């Protein structure tokens, strides 16, 4: 019995515990274990929560009921009631909540709610959804909750859906699947059971199942290709439970008025037999009219068990339901064995998501704890979801004008009667005039408002606020409002910003400048104001189609991505198998192999996977993001120096058969003069691996001599090696002298050497007439629009974007952040042929994809394909190397530890870096794999990343995920 992807040993322990508890229960108690009772409701007239704690306590003491479901109520009161009920329970009570967008969805009097799922669906970064799920899971744990009835994995392809709508991630089955799995994983990773709902798919209805039984007239083939798809994927991914919807679907069960929640054909045949789902099932609330209307007075409870459900959500009268179930057993409609099986399954779930015991909830600071992290998550979602749909000119993008001197901006707040956060920003930032127009005003106000605005204001910002989330009566948006907005759009220079359910945008699709914001709270409003000011770029795309002009996926990306983001399925990568990467990444962080890592997979020129795990540093203060910039170490050799050599070779300026002395006059007369460029690229020139230049500049205690270093920059000490540490400007000559004086081993023997690439970097400079960093920036990084790739990143990036490396104990004696980790490269001023390059994973992937594409990307040719094929091929009889590129071992099939992984094709090329990085590309599969980490933080002595084979394991998972 597997209720999630939790450990085998935990499953065994759960079985033993469940069997022992089961033996202590009476038969009536075994039935009652299948029931989840409502703990409270909300009296909207009195504006207060009404608790049923006395009634529930009676059911606990009399029948030992299995679960309770939290609804409205203050957190302290909720916790106190839960503590009391658990204290009197014979068996721990499963505590559930229906909190799709966080516990603030229910505890709205004291806890902020998170954004609805449709706003999440506008984001392109699935990792944020995972973090969202973790945050919701932590909220649940703080309140003693074992199960959250989330995520919704219904595909909302009906704009008029009155019950799901913006609770869905959207209309695309791939995105719904991916984001649903990430939400689920986030919760279950912190020990809270997720519940996929509403099976078999509640998205295409126009009736609210709270009020009646919705009908879906689709064939099984149609259901299988769309509605069932996310459920199949999340089942494979290990979701602990599923909620069964109240729907009438004749293709599944044509019995009159039989909802899917009480249909054996749906629950036992389709869900259990055909889809092989063995997790826990909850019915949707049995008090809803979709089922209660036709099966009242406990009959719905009986039919739910007959159908094959495990848990009955909100069954109403407990005594009546138990009596009717016992009567059904007498009539042979059910058996006690059925009850026993469901009961044991519920008990197993209690152990797996609660350890079989209840820890009393500490109410100290509980409200503060439940709100922790909410504003930050809402801001993160807003900045990744807000969608720019139309942009006719640059007047509003950004809107950076000094209105204090010349006030000519008007803000029209639709649905407002007083200033909200956005209106205040318009007043404060632009000295804007603010006009209110509510949904009850008539046409007479429209013309007068338009005339005033046309005469006085050059720029008009229109905000659509405070409309209904549900589509009934056009979201409550009146005809005069639509007329006013459309006329302002036509007759003035205006931008329309829609704050709320995106389906309402259908009324404003003719806007020349249009922004979708999805929610209407102060955080989203401030984010929208920040977007207008150019403080961040729009990243969102519509999660649903709203009109002919704006379909799913619409959205202007201010910086068009060279590698478009797609769901893994679209490039034939199995989502569930690919998510095994998450386990490896999280395990690497947990074991201390690295403080954090960013992992990227691109397939067929599209970004299929990009996630960040862990933290910037070992102190765990800064959570890692996917745009973090890493010291890529010796990946520099491939993505800087070799690129430059290839370009010069392309241009006929370098001959691989020529010798070092042909390009560098200063090596003549040394034993390095006759080394061929070809052998240097292959690491077969006989150079020693490296020279610890810094050793002769420090004393016995590892402290730099003052004759070589200064803590301030001046004419004599002008080479920055770290923060507030500068090398004497003439010391580079000594370093080159040490290389020339170094011994040579046998030519043609493979010895991986930094010195090979230090020489190659100098060749680039000698031939091109430019420093290596400037040449690669001019020829590659700038035209590719790589904003994070380059040397000495402290000169062009904020420090908080750059991941720190080692806490050096000698030489620089500080945390290295923004300066190259390699001490030799640092002493060369941060620019060397062997090390010094920094980059984000995404920018690095663009370089690798350009090489995969035969030198072309974004409509521009950077290198000839023939040159790429030459350099990335095998060229050695004694090693696996190409020209400047690492390659798979030639005998991988027979190696105990294949490199870079077993399934990499012989065409694969790339490089692996000392600090915990790698970049690989496989032309056979048009595949790019990037792994960036700082395993040297805090110390380079940490070898766990290597010993645990983290990078090869992830690479192998990628190949196994190919369909």
């Amino acid at each position: 019995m597997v209720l999630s992807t939790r450990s085998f040993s935990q499953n065994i322990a759960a079985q033993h515990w469940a069997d022992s508890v089961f033996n202590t229960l009476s038969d009536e108690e075994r039935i009652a274990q299948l029931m989840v009772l409502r703990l409270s409701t909300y009296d909207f007239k009195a504006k207060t929560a009404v608790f049923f704690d006395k009634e529930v306590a009676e059911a606990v003491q009399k029948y030992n009921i299995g679960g309770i479901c939290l609804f409205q109520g203050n957190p302290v009161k909720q916790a106190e009631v839960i503590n009391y009920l658990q204290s009197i329970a014979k068996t721990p009570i499963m505590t559930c909540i229906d909190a799709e967008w966080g516990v603030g969805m229910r505890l709205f009097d004291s806890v902020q709610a998170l954004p609805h799922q449709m706003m999440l669906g506008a984001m392109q970064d699935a990792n944020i959804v995972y973090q969202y799920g973790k945050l919701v899971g932590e909220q649940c744990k703080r309140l003693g909750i074992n199960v959250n009835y989330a995520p919704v994995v219904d595909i909302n392809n009906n704009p008029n859906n009155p019950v799901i709508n913006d609770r869905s991630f959207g209309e695309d089955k791939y995105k719904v699947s991916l984001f649903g799995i990430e939400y689920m994983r986030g919760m279950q990773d912190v020990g809270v059971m997720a519940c996929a709902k509403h099976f078999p798919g509640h998205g295409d209805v126009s009736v609210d199942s709270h009020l009646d039984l919705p009908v879906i007239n689709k064939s099984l083939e149609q259901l299988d290709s769309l509605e069932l798809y996310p459920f199949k994927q999340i089942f494979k991914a290990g979701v602990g439970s599923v909620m069964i919807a109240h729907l009438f679907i004749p293709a599944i069960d044509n019995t009159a008025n039989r909802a899917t929640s009480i249909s054996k054909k749906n629950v036992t045949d389709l869900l259990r037999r055909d889809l092989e789902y063995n997790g826990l099932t909850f019915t949707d609330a049995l008090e809803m009219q979709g089922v209660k209307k036709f099966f009242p007075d406990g009959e719905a409870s009986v039919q739910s068990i007959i159908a094959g459900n495990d848990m009955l959500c909100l069954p109403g009268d407990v005594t009546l339901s138990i009596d009717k179930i016992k009567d059904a057993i007498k009539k042979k409609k059910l058996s006690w064995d059925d009850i026993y099986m469901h009961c044991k399954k519920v008990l197993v779930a209690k152990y797996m998501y609660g350890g079989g015991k209840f820890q009393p909830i500490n109410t100290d600071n509980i409200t503060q704890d439940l709100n922790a992290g909410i504003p930050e998550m809402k801001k993160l979602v807003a900045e990744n979801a807000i969608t720019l749909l139309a942009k006719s000119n640059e007047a509003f993008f950004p809107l950076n004008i000094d209105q204090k001197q010349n006030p000519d901006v008007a803000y029209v707040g639709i649905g407002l009667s007083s200033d909200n956060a956005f209106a205040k920003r318009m007043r404060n930032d632009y000295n804007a005039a603010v006009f209110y127009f509510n949904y009850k005003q008539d046409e007479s106000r429209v013309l007068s408002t338009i005339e005033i605005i046309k005469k006085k204001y050059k720029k008009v910002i229109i905000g659509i606020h405070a409309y209904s989330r549900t589509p009934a009566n056009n979201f409550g948006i009146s005809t005069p409002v639509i007329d006013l907005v459309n006329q302002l759009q036509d007759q003035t220079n205006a931008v329309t910003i829609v704050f709320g359910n995106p389906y309402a945008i259908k009324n404003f699709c003719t806007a020349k400048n249009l922004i979708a914001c999805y929610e209407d709270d102060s955080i989203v409003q401030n984010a929208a104001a920040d977007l207008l000011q150019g403080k961040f770029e729009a990243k969102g795309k519509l999660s649903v189609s709203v009109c002919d002009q704006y379909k799913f996926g619409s959205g202007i990306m201010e910086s068009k991505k060279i590698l478009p983001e797609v769901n893994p399925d679209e490039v034939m990568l199995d989502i569930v198998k690919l998510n095994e990467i998450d386990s490896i990444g999280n395990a690497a962080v947990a074991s201390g192999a690295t403080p954090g890592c960013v992992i990227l997979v691109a397939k067929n020129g599209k970004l299929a996977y990009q996630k960040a795990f862990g933290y910037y540093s070992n102190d765990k203060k800064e959570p890692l993001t996917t745009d973090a910039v890493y010291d890529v170490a010796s990946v520099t050799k491939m993505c800087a120096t070799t690129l430059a050599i290839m370009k010069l070779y392309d241009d006929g300026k370098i001959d691989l058969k020529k010798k070092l002395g042909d390009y560098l006059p200063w090596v003549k007369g040394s034993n390095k003069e006759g080394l061929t460029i070809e052998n240097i690229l292959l690491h077969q020139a006989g150079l020693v691996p490296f020279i610890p230049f810094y050793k002769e500049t420090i004393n016995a205690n590892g402290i730099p001599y003052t004759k070589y270093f200064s803590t301030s920059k001046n004419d004599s000490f002008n080479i920055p090696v770290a923060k507030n540490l500068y090398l004497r400007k003439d010391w580079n000559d000594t370093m080159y002298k040490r290389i020339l004086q170094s011994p040579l081993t046998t030519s043609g023997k493979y010895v991986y050497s930094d010195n090979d690439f230090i020489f190659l970097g100098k060749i680039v400079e000698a031939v091109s007439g430019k420093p290596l960093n400037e040449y690669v920036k001019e020829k590659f990084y700038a035209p590719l629009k790589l904003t994070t790739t380059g040397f000495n990143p402290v000169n062009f990036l904020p420090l908080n974007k750059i991941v720190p490396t080692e806490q050096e104990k000698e030489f620089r004696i500080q945390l290295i952040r923004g300066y190259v980790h390699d001490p030799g490269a640092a002493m060369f001023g941060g620019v060397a042929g062997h090390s010094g390059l920094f980059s984000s994973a995404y920018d690095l992937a663009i370089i690798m994809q350009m090489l995969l594409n035969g030198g072309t990307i974004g409509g521009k040719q950077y290198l000839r394909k023939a040159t790429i094929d030459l350099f990335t091929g095998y060229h050695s009889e004694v090693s696996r190397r190409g020209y400047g590129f690492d390659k798979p071992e030639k005998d991988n099939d027979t190696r105990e530890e294949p490199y870079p992984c077993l399934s990499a094709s012989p065409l694969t090329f790339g490089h692996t870096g000392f600090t915990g990085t790698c970049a690989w590309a496989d032309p056979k599969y048009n595949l790019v794999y990037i792994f960036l980490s700082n395993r040297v933080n805090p110390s380079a002595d940490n070898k766990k990343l290597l010993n645990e084979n983290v990078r090869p394991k992830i690479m192998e998972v990628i190949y196994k995920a190919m369909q």
Side-chain angles (χ1 to χ4, degrees):
M1 185 186 302
V2 179
L3 293 172
S4 76
T5 53
R6 300 170 85 79
S7 71
F8 177 76
S9 60
Q10 190 183 24
N11 274 272
I12 296 299
Q15 295 280 6
H16 288 314
W17 182 86
D19 288 341
S20 65
V21 173
F22 176 84
N23 292 331
T24 68
L25 302 176
S26 68
D27 279 346
E28 283 194 340
E29 288 175 326
R30 289 164 180 166
I31 295 173
Q33 280 293 301
L34 313 184
M35 297 184 179
V36 181
L37 303 190
R38 175 186 282 275
L39 189 59
S40 64
T41 189
Y42 193 76
D43 186 333
F44 285 92
K45 288 184 178 179
K47 295 184 178 180
T48 185
V50 178
F51 277 82
F52 305 123
D53 45 323
K54 292 182 181 178
E55 294 86 346
V56 175
E58 289 176 6
V60 169
Q61 292 175 316
K62 184 175 182 180
Y63 294 113
N64 197 27
I65 57 104
I68 55 175
C69 187
L70 277 60
F71 288 91
Q72 287 79 13
N74 178 275
V76 174
K77 171 70 172 177
Q78 295 275 19
E80 289 173 347
V81 173
I82 294 169
N83 283 342
Y84 171 69
L85 293 174
Q86 294 282 14
S87 72
I88 65 172
K90 180 179 178 181
T91 303
I93 300 170
M94 179 182 288
T95 306
C96 309
I97 192 169
D98 188 3
E100 298 157 16
W101 47 94
V103 300
M105 172 182 172
R106 296 299 177 189
L107 314 182
F108 54 75
D109 65 332
S110 49
V111 181
Q112 294 183 65
L114 285 160
H116 292 72
Q117 286 188 195
M118 191 163 283
M119 186 174 191
L120 301 185
M123 300 190 301
Q124 306 308 300
D125 188 347
N127 187 54
I128 298 174
V129 183
Y130 173 79
Q131 298 299 332
Y132 179 107
K134 280 186 71 175
L135 181 58
V136 174
E138 294 290 0
Q139 284 185 315
C140 290
K141 289 192 73 174
R142 182 65 181 87
L143 198 53
I145 295 165
N146 312 113
V147 183
N148 184 15
Y149 296 148
V152 172
V153 291
D154 301 316
I155 300 167
N156 201 86
N157 55 348
N158 185 340
N160 296 316
N161 191 321
V163 62
I164 303 302
N165 212 283
D166 66 354
R167 296 164 62 194
S168 165
F169 288 116
E171 68 181 50
D172 179 73
K173 67 179 182 180
Y174 300 110
K175 176 163 269 190
V176 170
S177 302
L178 176 63
F179 280 23
I181 289 170
E182 290 304 305
Y183 189 163
M184 173 271 291
R185 287 184 53 255
M187 284 198 295
Q188 294 193 172
D189 280 357
V190 297
V192 174
M193 182 187 277
C195 182
K197 63 184 186 185
H198 307 78
F199 184 85
H202 210 309
D204 194 6
V205 302
S206 54
V207 172
D208 186 344
S209 51
H210 292 84
L211 307 176
D212 209 336
L213 182 61
V215 179
I216 298 179
N217 285 307
K218 289 188 174 182
S219 67
L220 283 174
E221 290 76 14
Q222 290 173 312
L223 294 169
D224 187 64
S225 67
L226 189 65
E227 276 83 359
L228 290 175
Y229 182 84
F231 288 99
K232 290 191 287 186
Q233 297 301 315
I234 202 167
F235 291 166
K236 285 194 292 182
V239 68
S241 65
V242 61
M243 179 172 283
I244 314 299
H246 303 317
L247 302 168
F248 181 61
I249 307 178
I252 295 175
D253 190 339
N254 61 7
T255 306
N257 301 322
R258 183 166 292 278
T260 45
S261 55
I262 58 172
S263 167
K264 189 172 185 178
K265 292 181 179 179
N266 181 61
V267 180
T268 298
D269 296 349
L270 176 59
L271 178 67
R272 299 296 192 198
R273 184 193 66 200
D274 297 345
L275 300 186
E276 300 179 344
Y277 181 67
N278 295 314
L280 206 64
T281 62
F282 292 86
T283 67
D284 207 343
L286 296 178
E287 64 185 19
M288 293 164 63
Q289 291 302 311
V291 65
K292 184 179 179 181
K293 176 179 177 180
F294 304 104
F295 295 88
D297 303 325
E299 187 59 30
S301 296
V302 177
Q303 295 300 323
S304 296
I305 300 295
I306 292 173
N309 285 295
D310 298 309
M311 299 207 79
L312 315 178
C313 191
L314 314 189
D317 190 319
V318 175
T319 301
L320 182 60
S321 293
I322 289 175
D323 288 344
K324 290 215 168 186
I325 290 170
K326 287 164 64 178
D327 187 55
I329 293 171
K330 287 181 183 178
K331 295 178 179 177
K332 308 296 185 184
K333 294 178 181 179
L334 275 172
S335 71
W336 281 111
D337 285 342
D338 293 328
I339 301 299
Y340 299 161
M341 180 271 292
H342 292 304
C343 179
K344 287 183 178 181
K345 197 170 180 182
V346 169
L347 292 172
V348 166
K350 287 185 177 186
Y351 184 90
M352 292 179 68
Y353 290 91
K357 58 184 178 181
F358 176 73
Q359 296 291 339
I361 304 163
N362 181 358
T363 58
D364 292 344
N365 300 316
I366 189 169
T367 301
Q368 180 181 343
D369 293 344
L370 291 173
N371 279 295
I374 303 298
E376 293 81 2
M377 177 58 68
K378 291 174 75 169
K379 185 173 187 290
L380 180 64
V381 170
E383 291 180 353
N384 280 271
I386 291 178
T387 306
L388 178 59
L389 291 171
K391 177 183 177 182
S392 65
N393 56 55
E394 298 298 326
F396 296 101
F397 307 103
L399 182 59
N400 286 336
I401 48 179
D402 185 4
Q403 291 304 320
K404 301 294 183 184
Q405 301 300 319
N406 183 24
D408 60 2
V409 171
Y411 179 60
V412 182
I414 305 296
L416 300 185
S417 56
S418 62
D419 279 7
N420 61 8
F422 192 83
K424 289 176 183 176
R425 284 287 297 272
M426 294 302 99
R427 289 189 194 274
N428 295 336
D429 296 348
Y430 303 110
N431 197 21
V434 176
F435 296 82
Y436 304 138
F437 197 101
N438 64 44
Y439 297 112
K440 295 181 179 179
Q441 289 173 305
D442 58 27
E443 292 286 353
S444 63
R445 177 86 192 284
V446 172
L447 293 176
S448 61
T449 303
I450 291 171
E451 287 305 311
I452 293 170
I453 291 173
K454 280 172 62 178
K455 287 177 181 178
K456 288 191 66 175
Y457 303 101
K458 295 177 181 178
K459 294 181 176 67
V460 181
I461 303 161
I462 306 167
I464 314 297
H465 296 279
Y467 59 87
S468 173
R469 281 181 51 216
T470 57
N473 301 314
N474 193 28
F475 303 93
I477 299 173
S478 65
T479 299
V481 161
I482 297 171
D483 290 344
L484 172 63
V485 174
N486 287 333
Q487 288 189 57
L488 284 173
Q489 289 174 164
D490 290 341
Q491 299 178 39
T492 68
N493 187 15
V495 58
T496 300
I497 308 175
V498 184
F499 293 92
N501 190 319
Y503 281 120
I505 292 171
K506 67 181 181 179
N507 296 292
F508 314 110
C509 284
T510 59
K512 297 181 179 69
N513 300 288
L514 182 61
I515 299 170
C517 287
Y518 304 95
E519 302 274 356
D520 192 20
D521 58 49
S522 62
I523 291 176
V524 174
Q525 291 162 17
N526 275 305
D530 287 345
L531 177 69
L532 279 183
Q533 291 183 349
K535 292 183 177 178
F536 67 92
E537 295 178 341
K539 303 179 186 71
K541 294 187 177 182
L542 274 181
S543 39
V544 290
S545 300
V546 299
C547 56
D548 290 340
Q549 189 171 349
Y550 300 119
K551 300 290 188 182
F552 164 80
S554 295
I556 300 170
M557 308 295 282
E558 291 289 271
S559 297
K560 283 199 171 180
K561 288 203 167 186
I562 292 178
L563 302 178
E565 297 177 47
V566 297
N567 291 309
D569 273 0
E570 295 180 43
V571 288
M572 301 302 288
L573 288 170
D574 184 276
I575 294 173
V576 175
K577 290 180 180 176
L578 202 62
N579 276 335
E580 292 177 21
I581 295 173
D582 297 33
S583 299
I584 302 172
N586 283 320
V589 173
S591 72
T594 178
C597 56
V598 175
I599 304 167
L600 181 150
V601 180
K603 182 82 166 63
N604 301 337
K606 297 176 180 179
L607 187 59
Y609 179 102
Q610 183 178 216
K611 292 184 184 178
F613 302 89
Y615 300 86
Y616 272 74
S617 183
N618 200 51
D619 62 13
K620 298 184 178 180
K621 291 181 179 178
E622 297 175 88
L624 196 63
T625 59
T626 54
D627 59 355
V629 176
Y630 279 85
D631 179 339
V632 300
S634 55
V635 173
T636 304
K637 295 180 174 76
M638 170 179 68
C639 289
T641 311
T642 301
L643 280 184
I645 294 290
M646 292 166 76
K647 178 62 177 171
L648 293 170
Y649 175 87
D650 246 6
D651 294 343
K653 296 179 179 180
I654 283 184
D655 185 338
L656 303 187
K657 301 299 182 182
K658 284 194 172 185
K659 298 178 174 58
L660 198 59
D662 294 327
Y663 297 105
L664 301 178
W666 52 273
V667 307
K668 289 184 177 181
S670 74
N671 59 359
K672 312 300 185 297
E673 178 181 0
L675 305 181
T676 66
I677 307 305
E678 180 178 36
N679 274 340
I680 293 172
L681 282 165
L682 292 170
H683 295 278
Q684 293 177 190
L687 291 164
V688 295
F690 73 99
I691 299 170
F693 302 109
Y694 74 97
K695 288 286 188 181
E696 59 183 296
T697 68
I698 61 175
N699 66 23
N701 296 318
I703 298 172
Y705 289 120
T706 55
K707 66 179 179 179
Y708 298 124
F709 295 95
S710 171
T711 55
S712 59
K713 186 176 182 180
N714 55 53
D715 290 342
S716 298
F717 298 86
N718 61 3
I719 300 174
V721 297
K723 185 179 179 181
N724 300 325
L725 191 62
Y726 299 87
L727 176 66
R728 204 171 77 194
K729 69 178 181 180
D730 60 355
W731 192 251
N732 276 187
D733 292 340
T734 303
M735 295 165 68
Y736 291 123
K737 184 178 179 181
R738 298 289 182 264
I739 298 174
L740 291 180
Q741 293 172 340
S742 65
L744 279 178
T745 59
T746 305
S747 178
K749 180 182 178 182
Y750 173 65
V751 179
Y752 180 78
S753 172
D754 288 342
N755 294 311
D756 285 309
F757 275 77
I758 292 173
F759 275 132
L760 289 170
K762 298 307 289 183
I763 290 174
V764 172
E765 294 182 1
V767 175
S768 71
K770 296 180 179 180
L772 172 64
N773 58 318
E774 292 182 15
Y775 183 74
V776 289
K777 180 179 180 180
E778 176 189 313
K779 298 298 181 181
F780 296 99
Y781 308 155
L784 284 168
K785 297 181 180 179
L786 308 185
T787 58
T788 66
T789 306
F791 295 82
N792 289 320
V794 288
N795 295 334
F796 62 91
L797 289 173
L799 197 62
N800 63 4
K801 285 288 186 185
I802 306 169
V803 176
T805 52
E806 188 171 5
Q807 181 72 53
E808 278 195 1
K809 302 300 184 184
E810 62 176 24
F811 178 33
R812 290 175 283 185
I813 316 178
Q814 61 179 266
L815 177 66
I816 306 303
R817 186 170 195 175
Y819 295 86
V820 61
H821 174 264
D822 182 274
M827 294 175 73
F828 281 120
V831 181
H834 71 295
S835 189
L837 190 67
F838 286 70
S839 183
S840 66
Y842 179 78
D843 280 1
L844 212 56
I846 291 173
I847 295 174
M848 301 304 288
Q849 189 64 50
M850 178 270 291
L851 294 171
L852 274 184
N853 292 352
T856 302
I857 200 166
K860 183 177 174 63
Q861 185 83 33
Y862 293 86
L863 293 167
R864 291 188 302 119
K865 185 178 186 301
T867 299
I868 295 171
D869 292 343
L870 172 68
F871 274 70
T872 60
Y874 288 109
H875 291 290
S876 175
E877 296 297 324
V878 297
S879 81
R880 63 176 186 255
R881 293 277 168 172
Y883 289 147
F885 291 93
D886 203 356
K887 299 275 296 172
E889 294 287 0
K890 297 172 184 175
D891 58 350
N892 257 346
D893 289 345
T894 61
R895 282 182 172 257
E896 184 175 340
E897 290 190 2
Y899 179 85
C901 76
L902 177 62
S903 299
S905 82
L907 297 175
T908 300
F909 58 87
H911 215 292
T912 299
F914 179 82
T915 53
T917 61
C918 71
W920 290 94
D922 190 338
K924 181 177 179 180
Y925 300 104
N926 198 358
L927 177 71
V928 172
Y929 161 49
I930 309 291
F931 180 95
L932 299 183
S933 80
N934 54 336
R935 62 106 191 155
V936 296
N937 182 284
S939 170
D941 295 333
N942 180 14
K943 302 293 194 297
K944 289 183 179 179
L945 191 80
L946 312 175
N947 297 337
E948 294 173 10
N949 290 318
V950 173
R951 288 169 287 189
K953 284 179 181 177
I954 291 171
M955 194 172 186
E956 188 63 28
V957 166
I958 298 166
Y959 283 99
K960 299 302 182 189
M962 291 184 191
Q963 298 177 10

